[in-house]
Amino acid sequence: MASSPDVPSDGNTPENPGNGSPSEAPQAAAAGTTGGGERRGRVRARRAAVMAVPATLVAAALAVLTAQGALGVQFAISGMPFTVTATELNGTGFEQFGGLDTMADGSPNAGDTGGQVLVVTSAIKNATLTKLCQSVDLGGTNLLITAGSGADKVQASDLTTDSSELSGDAAFKNIEIGNDASTLTKAGVKGPIGVFSQQADTVRIANLRQTNYATTAGVFKLPGLKLRFSGSGC
């Protein structure tokens, strides 16, 4: 998705260009230095500050919308990522946009993230998955869930996944790229206004692999479900 813009380092702001204290600029001028470097530093700092403002506003808006349930996830996440794989996913009504997931207050998994995780929300109106595998690392062992390995496939409706990583071989039908997330119509989920998104009539992903923080579904059918502990994950 989009990368985060650089922000000014300490001591290099529009009010205080350069790396020194506020009193150093007059001292440098008094010592006979030219103002060209100072002006360039001020321009670079001002440009970085301007670039940082939209990202800050978008992040704040996403946090509010997530709290209000406007995005796919409507609960406090644990902050423990889990892996999902499938040999094939087929879906009708596909949407995808960026968002923020929030952990419960005081979560030990927050680290230095402030309890928030930047994710890509994928929404599918109706989906089938072949040979689904889901695992979460519990530290020394993995909780492993498998389903859909036989003749019957895993079926889900109103499926959303919040992922930090996603890979596979994808094909889309009638895809639209660059939509405003608040205008999406294919899966019945709307993202925040002003956020980049895409949608398509259908999606097929072979060799799907995701690192997820949350999943929701209206209906989730798991034929041949097996839950167990394992020394390895998916």
Side-chain angles (χ1 to χ4, degrees):
M1 304 293 288
S3 59
S4 301
D6 294 336
V7 296
S9 59
D10 292 340
N12 188 17
T13 64
E15 293 82 13
N16 183 23
N19 295 323
S21 64
S23 61
E24 287 179 351
Q27 291 173 357
T33 58
T34 63
E38 182 180 343
R39 286 194 298 272
R40 285 193 297 271
R42 183 180 294 112
V43 169
R44 286 194 298 268
R46 185 178 296 114
R47 183 182 300 128
V50 170
M51 291 173 64
V53 168
T56 303
L57 292 176
V58 169
L62 287 172
V64 170
L65 287 165
T66 300
Q68 294 175 344
L71 305 189
V73 169
Q74 300 179 27
F75 52 83
I77 64 170
S78 70
M80 297 177 64
F82 55 96
T83 300
V84 173
T85 65
T87 57
E88 185 177 43
L89 177 150
N90 286 280
T92 59
F94 172 80
E95 301 173 357
Q96 196 171 66
F97 53 89
L100 285 174
D101 283 352
T102 304
M103 303 176 203
D105 291 341
S107 172
N109 301 317
D112 59 358
T113 67
Q116 293 183 322
V117 180
L118 184 64
V119 295
V120 175
T121 295
S122 301
I124 303 176
K125 188 64 179 176
N126 294 287
T128 60
L129 300 99
T130 304
K131 295 184 178 180
L132 173 69
C133 179
Q134 176 179 302
S135 65
V136 56
D137 187 349
L138 300 177
T141 189
N142 293 269
L143 179 61
L144 188 67
I145 298 173
T146 57
S149 298
D152 295 328
K153 300 179 181 180
V154 172
Q155 298 181 45
S157 63
D158 297 319
L159 175 68
T160 67
T161 57
D162 284 8
S163 312
S164 58
E165 294 183 26
L166 187 155
S167 63
D169 303 310
F172 303 93
K173 181 179 179 181
N174 295 330
I175 191 169
E176 302 170 0
I177 301 174
N179 308 63
D180 188 294
S182 68
T183 67
L184 296 176
T185 59
K186 301 293 185 180
V189 177
K190 294 185 184 297
I193 190 170
V195 171
F196 180 93
S197 68
Q198 58 185 7
Q199 65 177 358
D201 286 346
T202 66
V203 57
R204 177 185 179 274
I205 305 177
N207 304 314
L208 171 68
R209 187 174 189 86
Q210 295 175 302
T211 300
N212 292 346
Y213 280 89
T215 297
T216 65
V219 175
F220 211 3
K221 297 181 179 180
L222 301 165
L225 172 66
K226 293 182 180 180
L227 185 153
R228 60 196 182 276
F229 292 101
S230 173
S232 58
C234 297

